[in-house]
Amino acid sequence: MSAFRLTASLLTFLLAPLAAAWAQTERPSTCLAMAQATPGVIYAAFATPTAASAEPVDITYAGHSTYIIETPAGVTIATDFSGAHGASPVPRVVTMNKAHGTHFTRNPDPAIEHVLPGWNPEGGPARHSLLVEDVYIRNVTTDIHRYGTMEPDANSIFIFIFEVAGLCIGHLGHLHHRLDDSDYAAIGRLDVVMVPVDGGLTLSLDGMSEIARRLSSSVILPMHRHSTPLSAFTSRMGGGFELDFREGRTITVALDNLPRRPTIVILDGV
């Protein structure tokens, strides 16, 4: 064996465990604005896909703040899961936030493979970095109002990145405060964003519309509406956003079918 081949084999042997660990714990993302942290680095694994590989992702409104996301590989994810919505069939992944009992459950079905709380039960910020087949899931922590005080890093915005589909989807959770520049940098690009529009229990409608405008996602999916008129949110978004009322509860999105103008899509039941 030549010295070159021996060196290459040795490097492969040494780096393989590191690569495996990286795949399980941390994946770079085209959705994350990485230029400031890692200038000049291009991550081939999450490079922009060709049109032929832009596979569709189904998003179904289940109720309250729960959307069911189904990836091209068939992985199902339920957001802000309390068990009241989206429990059947059993999703493979659930995310939760703890502002109220309608956004989490203390007794998730044991058949759920991955339960991701938006808070750290041991204190400090939660940190999720999980690859499940064709979807990578990470979180950005936010603060919440609890018992008259602001509890830091107690909830999370969850971000779902689809390696094959090339889409970046975000769920703002039970967001209680405006975001700063560091939050936007940590979130990165979102092609689709799910936004609470109750205007009271979460952030005000002025604050939430400000966030939605700045994210400028191609598709905005309202949720957590309660009795708030949809017009109270949509009127604050301005003329740069289209309105699309759907009769069904499911929207199918892919990189090659995203609307040309940012669009607020209201699914049945919202």
Side-chain angles (χ1 to χ4, degrees), residues 62-182:
H64 202 53
S65 288
T66 302
Y67 278 92
I68 304 297
I69 304 169
E70 184 173 356
T71 79
V75 178
T76 52
I77 305 159
T79 63
D80 269 19
F81 182 78
S82 68
H85 307 285
S88 181
V90 177
R92 288 186 61 183
V93 183
V94 301
T95 66
M96 298 188 295
N97 276 303
K98 73 170 183 177
H100 304 287
T102 52
H103 296 259
F104 73 97
T105 174
R106 299 186 187 279
N107 300 293
D109 190 323
I112 299 171
E113 294 179 32
H114 305 282
V115 177
L116 308 180
W119 67 97
N120 184 352
E122 298 179 357
R127 186 174 185 273
H128 295 293
S129 180
L130 177 69
L131 182 68
V132 184
E133 295 195 32
D134 61 339
V135 60
Y136 169 59
I137 305 168
R138 63 182 178 88
N139 71 308
V140 174
T141 58
T142 63
D143 307 334
I144 59 170
H145 290 289
R146 284 176 66 84
Y147 310 114
T149 62
M150 186 69 88
E151 186 176 349
D153 296 316
N155 275 338
S156 289
I157 294 169
F158 280 94
I159 300 161
F160 313 96
I161 300 115
F162 301 87
E163 183 169 6
V164 176
L167 287 165
C168 310
I169 297 176
H171 185 281
L172 296 187
H174 208 278
L175 186 60
H176 285 185
H177 59 82
R178 282 178 162 86
L179 303 178
D180 61 26
D181 289 344
S182 65

Side-chain angles (χ1 to χ4, degrees), residues 236-255:
R236 287 169 164 82
M237 292 298 292
F241 292 80
E242 299 284 351
L243 281 178
D244 182 0
F245 288 84
R246 301 288 181 98
E247 293 184 357
R249 284 180 171 255
T250 299
I251 180 174
T252 300
V253 292
L255 275 183

